[in-house]
Structure formats: C-alpha cells, structure tokens
Amino acid sequence: MTHARNAVVTPDSDDAPTQGALGDATVSTDNARAAAEDSLEDYAFRYVPRTFRRWSAASVGATALGSIAFLADFSIGASIGIDHGTANAVLGILFASVIILLVGVPVAYYAARYNLDLDLIARGSGFGYYGSIITTVIFAGFTCIFFALEGAIMAQGLQMATGMPLWLGYLVSTVVVIPIVIYGMRALERLQFWTTPLWLALALLPLLWIVVSDPEAVRAFTSFTGDSDGSISFGAVVSSAAVCFALTPQLAEQIDYLRAMPPRTPANARSWWTSFAFAGPGWVVFSGTKQVIGVFLAVYLLVKVEPALGHQATEPVKQFVVMYQTLVPDWLAVVLALVLVVVAQVKINVTNAYSGSLAWSNVFTRVAKHYPGRTIFVLFNLVIAYVLMMLDVFTLISFVLSLYANVVMAWLVTIATDIAINKWLLRISPRFPEFRRGMLHDWNPVGLVSVGLASVLSLLAFAGVFGAAVKPFSVLIAIGVAVVTTPVMALATRGRYYLRRRSDGIDSPRFDDHGNPSGERLRCHVTGYTFERPDMLASAERGPHGEVQYVSSLALTLDDSDHYVLPPEVTGPPHRAAARKRET
C-alpha cells in the first residue's frame, strides 16, 4: 500500500526544497523525500499515521492471528515432550504462556493504542534514541532464526513429497516469500485472510478425528514420560519453559500488525479490545495450544507408529503425514501434509521476512543516516536465514532456542517492566511513548543496564558457571533481574535520561478527545511534505520571517547533524500531575 495512494505524505512541488538548498551539514532532501515516498517502507522507523490505518480492528486482528500458523510450535512441543515427558512439558508450556501473556499486555497495548512498533516503544521505555538499536538487532535475529526453522520444515516436506534435495528446498522456501513481502501490509493482509481457513481445516480436522476415534492415543499421551524418570520436576518444567520463552519475540511480529489498528472510539471499543486481546497478548494462547498438540503428535508417532523414530518425531512433516494416513491413502496423506506445510511456512515466513526487513532498515537508517529502501533488507534477512538453514539449525532447535531465550526475556521483560512499573506505578518514565529524535537522550542507562545485567547473569547460569543445579533456571534469572533492575535504575537515575525535552515546540495537542494520536497535518519544511502531528516537532531553524517551522521525525532520522534539533531542556523527574498535564 503506497504512501501516495493513502495521502500519508502530500508532496507540494512549489514548496518542497531542492537538493543542496539546506547546506552540506543537513539532511539530504532527496534522501528524506525518497524515504517518504517509498511504497515499500511501511513506516519502518516512524509512527503509523491514521491515513494508512484504514482497516477495521477486526481485520487487523484477523491478519495478525494469521501469522501464528507457524509449525515450529509443533516441533518445540514435541522436542520438550520427548526430553521431559508430557506432564513436565505441558506444565512448562503453561508456565511460559502465563509469563509471556503478562509481558505482552503492556507492550502490545502501547503498540495498538499509539501505533508504534516495538523499536519506537523501546526508545522511550528505557533505552533512548540509539539505545533501542540493541533491542532491534535482537529482534531481527529472531526473525532470521525462525525463518530458518520454518524454511527447514518446508524443505523437509518438499523432500518427502518430491525427493527434492534439502539445499534446494531451503532455497525454494526462501525465494517464494519475496514477491509477497516486498508489497508490505496490504499483501500480507490478503494472504493471511484467505489462507487461514485452509490452514485450520488441514491442521485440526484430522487431529480431532484421532482424538475421538483412538482413546488409547490420548491415554498414551497423558502417561508419556519421554527421556525423564516420569516424575514432575520443577527443574524439568522450567527447562521446558525456557525453550518456549524463545518464542516471545513473536509478540514483536504481532505488533507489526497491531500498530495498524484504527483509533479507539466509543463506537468500536468492543471490537478494538477483542481484536487487541486475541491478536496481541492472546497470541500465546494459540501458540501454547499448538505446542501441546506437538507433544501429542510426537507421542502418537513414538507409541502408536514407530518407537525407533526418536527425535525425528519432532518433525512436523512426519507428524502430519502419519496423522493424515489414519484418514486417507498414503499418497494423499503426503500431498495434504505438503499443502499444510507450504501454506503454514508461507504464512509465517512472509511475516518473518517483513518484520525482519523493518528491523534491519530501522537500524541501518539511524546509524548511516541514509535510507536505501526496504527491499535490500528483505534480501539481507533472507540471506542470513538461508545460511542458518544450510548450517542445519533445525537439528539444534532446543539448544538454540534455550540459549536465545535468555537474551529475549531480558529484553522484553525490561520494556514491559518500564511500561507497567516505571510509567504507571512509579511515574518516573514518561507516561506517553516518545520516539522522536531531539525529544530523547541518545542512550538511557535504565534499559541498557537492565538488559545487559540480566543477559550476562542468565547466560553465565546457562553455561553452568554457577553450577549444574542453577543451570535449568537461567531464564528465570533473566526475568527476575530485569524486573528488579529496571525500576531500581529508574530510581537511581531519577528519570533524568528518559527525555531530553518535555515540549516539542508545537502548541496543538498530540492526542484527540478519545486519547488517540491526533490526525492533524503539519508541513515538514525539510521534505516539503505534510505529516501527522505525532510525527512532527518544531524545527530549530526559523522561517525567513522568524516564524516557527516544523520538521518530521523522518527528516530528523536522516539528518547527520543537529541542525534542526531544538536545544535540550532541564528534565528532572516529573511531578505526577504536572507531567500528566504536559504530556496531554
């Protein structure tokens, strides 16, 4: 969906400045205008304006839910089920799901309510304008890892059905998503809407048939002990949960859809909240259910079909072929399994590639002060994913995800804690999210120290430095340290590093009467285009008659100087009532 088509930025050739008119030290006008006009950008480093958000809340919610069709859930559930037994695996899945839900509520709410992606939220939630780059790289890595896992599953399906070698299957699964991803949200919305019913039918109907027609399979599932001694162990439960925690960044992919939510008004409040609940933090309910199903399918293969399969029972392709074979001839079972795998892989990997390209372009643009277009980052993301597939990351799924979960939880728990405690309880962090350059300090020690300390301690525990007894609890260390350190650092720094300024120099309000970001448009004197009020600041450069001029956050992102940035203000810890008044 292009910007011009939706009138998000309105070019005015009479007023638009020309290249070089602003001096060598300022932002390249052509670069800023190109970034504004790029139909593939999808607001990689900006607030998503009202004029782009033309979908209903229900439509956005359905699209976001379509992205959780990934098959890695089945494999993760199967893997921890084989390692720890059904009881420990299911309790671990439940434990992880509850924590992920609690983490997801404040973060997803800020995304849906204020139309920001996770990087923009992180900037004002303890990390600073450049500090959030660290968290964005963590997320970009997640998209590559899970693209590789899903691509490997598709390659396994192609190999089983057609004999295609794995390396070629990896390449096919990588290339097939490119035509969809480059067209952004519009293409993704259509894909998710039309393929979700097919996915649900292929995945659930044969499963229900097995459960109803074969009670013995259910009894085998409930009594399965895997490689454990059959007892319920807190260490085994936490070890199972640790693998599941690595899925938490899926929240950021849900947010890449949720940020397109329409303004919340009394007329659409019920639909808005319902869509937010299911497609935002509620995604983990569906994910956890699929993990439990993965345990069931692995047990079914090992107990009812072929006990010698071992960890091959974690492969979703084998799981679904066997499930279909209870209903249809073998050749049709293979065809149906292949269709399911291809549909599921495309549904999730267009999201992985889309979100990854947004993350990488966000990082590059802020560091290099240049926007080369999102397409190059789509390809960059896919190359990394393909290399991971060739390195056979799928066979190391439990280890890789357990390791990655330590850093993931340190990052996301820090952001959630800053929102829930520092913003709402202590009111040290600014209540309303801030993401614009010039309004924020470049670096905020609150989030950086929290993530750094939580990550280091949990990784040391994971490596066994603190002893074998502590190793299974490394992710809990990450969570606990992040929850404690985030408010402690905010109190210790007295909130000095959140805001560089409290006023953006514009008299009109940022929010409308319903608390939604304002749709008022102001002209950016750098690009000559109009942007909506939440995206704008007063410029430090006055007009030819001394009048106030406005500059967009986009132009400031691409500016390699402080030419348009207003001077800092003294920004001590805000008094609760005064801060609330200023921010509204």
Side-chain angles (χ1 to χ4, degrees):
M1 181 173 294
T2 65
H3 296 180
R5 182 177 300 163
N6 291 281
V8 174
V9 286
T10 308
D12 187 331
S13 58
D14 294 333
D15 295 337
T18 58
Q19 175 70 30
L22 302 173
D24 293 336
T26 63
V27 62
S28 162
T29 306
D30 285 349
N31 190 30
R33 288 169 64 85
E37 293 169 349
D38 187 357
S39 64
L40 306 180
E41 181 215 350
D42 272 6
Y43 311 98
F45 36 86
R46 310 208 271 124
Y47 155 81
V48 182
R50 285 194 182 200
T51 41
F52 180 81
R53 295 181 277 117
R54 300 190 303 177
W55 296 276
S56 67
S59 178
V60 173
T63 302
L65 278 178
S67 69
I68 64 170
F70 52 91
L71 298 181
D73 268 335
F74 298 104
S75 186
I76 288 170
S79 179
I80 61 177
I82 292 173
D83 287 342
H84 304 291
T86 295
N88 288 316
V90 171
L91 288 174
I93 292 167
L94 180 62
F95 176 65
S97 297
V98 171
I99 300 297
I100 294 171
L101 182 69
L102 293 175
V103 170
V105 169
V107 181
Y109 175 78
Y110 264 56
R113 183 64 164 147
Y114 301 112
N115 312 110
L116 307 174
D117 66 16
L118 194 53
D119 176 82
L120 270 61
I121 294 172
R123 295 181 192 181
S125 298
F127 289 91
Y129 182 76
Y130 287 112
S132 69
I133 288 176
I134 296 172
T135 69
T136 304
V137 170
I138 295 173
F139 171 57
F142 166 86
T143 66
C144 294
I145 290 172
F146 273 84
F147 189 107
L149 293 176
E150 291 296 326
I153 292 170
M154 180 174 173
Q156 292 164 5
L158 291 172
Q159 184 181 50
M160 176 176 288
T162 68
M164 181 182 294
L166 282 177
W167 71 266
L168 183 56
Y170 296 154
L171 185 61
V172 170
S173 66
T174 302
V175 172
V176 71
V177 303
I178 294 177
I180 302 170
V181 175
I182 61 173
Y183 287 103
M185 180 68 180
R186 190 182 205 187
L188 267 63
E189 190 267 341
R190 291 178 176 177
L191 172 75
Q192 303 294 11
F193 178 81
W194 289 109
T195 56
T196 295
L198 175 62
W199 183 90
L200 287 172
L202 289 172
L204 297 183
L205 291 180
L207 175 68
L208 293 175
W209 169 255
I210 291 176
V211 171
V212 172
S213 65
D214 192 353
E216 183 61 32
V218 177
R219 284 191 289 270
F221 163 70
T222 57
S223 61
F224 183 71
T225 60
D227 295 335
S228 72
D229 59 9
S231 63
I232 296 177
S233 160
F234 184 62
V237 170
V238 174
S239 294
S240 298
V243 182
C244 305
F245 279 130
L247 289 168
T248 312
Q250 177 63 32
L251 173 66
E253 296 197 350
Q254 300 301 117
I255 282 173
D256 279 339
Y257 292 107
L258 284 181
R259 66 197 181 114
M261 286 280 276
R264 193 185 75 202
T265 64
N268 73 350
R270 179 177 297 179
S271 173
W272 195 96
W273 280 112
T274 301
S275 297
F276 161 77
F278 282 102
W283 72 269
V284 74
V285 175
F286 301 95
S287 178
T289 301
K290 287 159 58 191
Q291 291 164 39
V292 174
I293 292 173
V295 180
F296 175 83
L297 293 176
V299 173
Y300 186 78
L301 261 67
L302 293 174
V303 175
K304 303 288 290 183
V305 180
E306 191 176 341
L309 273 177
H311 272 269
Q312 284 188 311
T314 65
E315 296 179 9
V317 176
K318 284 188 171 60
Q319 293 174 351
F320 282 97
V321 166
V322 170
M323 187 168 64
Y324 291 136
Q325 284 174 340
T326 64
L327 295 171
V328 298
D330 290 355
W331 68 270
L332 184 55
V334 172
V335 171
L336 291 175
L338 179 62
V339 172
L340 173 65
V341 167
V342 170
V343 169
Q345 190 272 344
V346 171
K347 282 172 71 65
I348 183 56
N349 269 356
V350 293
T351 301
N352 283 327
Y354 172 70
S355 294
S357 68
L358 294 181
W360 290 121
S361 62
N362 193 317
V363 170
F364 180 87
T365 302
R366 270 182 292 163
V367 172
K369 305 300 180 187
H370 174 69
Y371 179 67
R374 187 168 64 84
T375 304
I376 190 172
F377 297 105
V378 171
L379 300 178
F380 178 72
N381 204 61
L382 296 182
V383 167
I384 295 176
Y386 181 74
V387 170
L388 290 174
M389 282 186 264
M390 292 299 293
L391 293 174
D392 201 14
V393 69
F394 184 85
T395 60
L396 301 172
I397 184 170
S398 290
F399 173 79
V400 170
L401 296 185
S402 297
L403 175 66
Y404 191 62
N406 295 285
V407 180
V408 162
M409 294 310 292
W411 153 48
L412 286 169
V413 171
T414 293
I415 296 175
T417 301
D418 191 87
I419 294 173
I421 296 179
N422 293 354
K423 291 186 186 298
W424 287 88
L425 185 61
L426 300 177
R427 299 187 180 180
I428 296 175
S429 179
R431 175 71 60 86
F432 296 98
E434 182 57 77
F435 61 92
R436 297 166 295 176
R437 181 186 174 195
M439 297 298 294
L440 295 165
H441 289 284
D442 288 345
W443 307 91
N444 188 339
V446 173
L448 297 173
V449 170
S450 178
V451 167
L453 186 61
S455 298
V456 169
L457 291 178
S458 62
L459 288 173
L460 288 175
F462 183 81
V465 173
F466 303 136
V470 178
K471 183 175 180 177
F473 307 105
S474 62
V475 177
L476 295 188
I477 292 174
I479 294 171
V481 171
V483 168
V484 172
T485 305
T486 304
V488 167
M489 283 299 300
L491 290 169
T493 59
R494 294 183 295 172
R496 291 194 304 269
Y497 298 98
Y498 281 100
L499 293 179
R500 183 176 174 272
R501 295 181 56 87
R502 295 202 180 279
S503 169
D504 60 14
I506 301 176
D507 292 332
S508 58
R510 289 176 63 193
F511 303 95
D512 64 19
D513 293 340
H514 297 298
N516 300 300
S518 170
E520 177 190 7
R521 294 186 187 180
L522 300 171
R523 183 175 299 280
C524 171
H525 77 97
V526 176
T527 63
Y529 289 176
T530 59
F531 296 80
E532 291 183 1
R533 169 68 178 88
D535 236 0
M536 300 293 287
L537 299 88
S539 174
E541 183 180 89
R542 292 281 178 166
H545 304 293
E547 71 275 14
V548 174
Q549 297 189 112
Y550 305 115
V551 60
S552 64
S553 65
L554 175 68
L556 290 176
T557 298
L558 296 166
D559 180 18
D560 60 3
S561 72
D562 291 330
H563 187 77
Y564 306 112
V565 178
L566 293 171
E569 294 176 337
V570 177
T571 57
H575 183 275
R576 295 180 181 182
R580 189 182 303 113
K581 180 178 179 181
R582 280 193 294 267
E583 289 169 337
T584 54

